Amino acid sequence: PSATPVANCGAPSAPCASIKDGLTAAAAASKSILYLDQGTYAEQVTLTAGITIRGGWVYSGGAWTKSCVANANTLAIIAPTSANKTVLAAGVTATLDTLTVRSKTAAANIGESVYGIFATNSAYVYLDNVIVNVGPGGTGVPGGQGSGGSGAQSCTGGSGGGDGGVGPVGAAGAHGTYDINGYTPAIAGTGSAGN
């Protein structure tokens, strides 16, 4: 993550400065493994067919070595605040190994869902020593306006009352669930009626 962007990156002496650039270089060179140095990568990653993204390595002095103490916590891919999905896999077969995938901290928009790994079109994503950590979804839509109030007749013949205020925002969506049919997102609650 601390590499300086360079053209034609990917050689041991010229690591790429992003996972995106690394995947491009690996595909161009017909490589099947992209090694990642420890640290935090703040980017949305689109997986490339047949390429394993593997953490647990350390780059130092122009050479790569396997870390004896590496685990999934020593490397994280975190979605930028503009993205509600961290890792995308569309119709590809790929592997993630020894890393953590995190969504952005929290949804910014009402009703927004957030995802760690978003696999579509019959994608197969193999996870080996991977932690997926996803923040809460967005809050629900505000409740409807309260019904009109009523008041007793006043001494001057008028009557009180008026429309109630708009209800509070609904509760944030809970975590979705996985089962044999895949992922089912949770839906945020609708706000209660105003008063």
Side-chain angles (χ1 to χ4, degrees):
S2 61
T4 301
V6 294
N8 302 316
C9 67
S13 59
C16 298
S18 70
I19 297 172
K20 177 183 177 183
D21 290 347
L23 287 170
T24 300
S30 298
K31 302 295 184 183
S32 61
I33 300 175
L34 173 62
Y35 295 102
L36 299 183
D37 196 359
Q38 299 178 65
T40 299
Y41 296 81
E43 59 182 294
Q44 185 180 62
V45 174
T46 300
L47 299 183
T48 301
I51 297 181
T52 294
I53 298 177
R54 179 168 291 159
W57 290 78
V58 177
Y59 179 77
S60 179
W64 289 93
T65 55
K66 179 77 170 142
S67 171
C68 295
V69 296
N71 57 52
N73 292 308
T74 60
L75 186 155
I77 304 171
I78 301 176
T81 57
S82 60
N84 68 342
K85 302 171 184 76
T86 308
V87 174
L88 302 170
V92 299
T93 297
T95 300
L96 298 175
D97 184 0
T98 313
L99 54 85
T100 295
V101 175
R102 291 189 194 133
S103 69
K104 62 183 179 179
T105 305
N109 303 309
I110 288 178
E112 180 183 19
S113 295
V114 291
Y115 305 88
I117 300 172
F118 194 80
T120 59
N121 298 335
S122 300
Y124 288 89
V125 182
Y126 296 93
L127 307 178
D128 185 5
N129 191 22
V130 172
I131 297 170
V132 181
N133 194 336
V134 180
T139 55
V141 296
Q145 186 166 358
S147 57
S150 60
Q153 187 166 351
S154 70
C155 294
T156 58
S159 61
D163 287 340
V166 174
V169 171
H175 292 285
T177 58
Y178 287 93
D179 60 24
I180 191 105
N181 298 311
Y183 179 73
T184 303
I187 306 300
T190 300
S192 56
N195 54 32

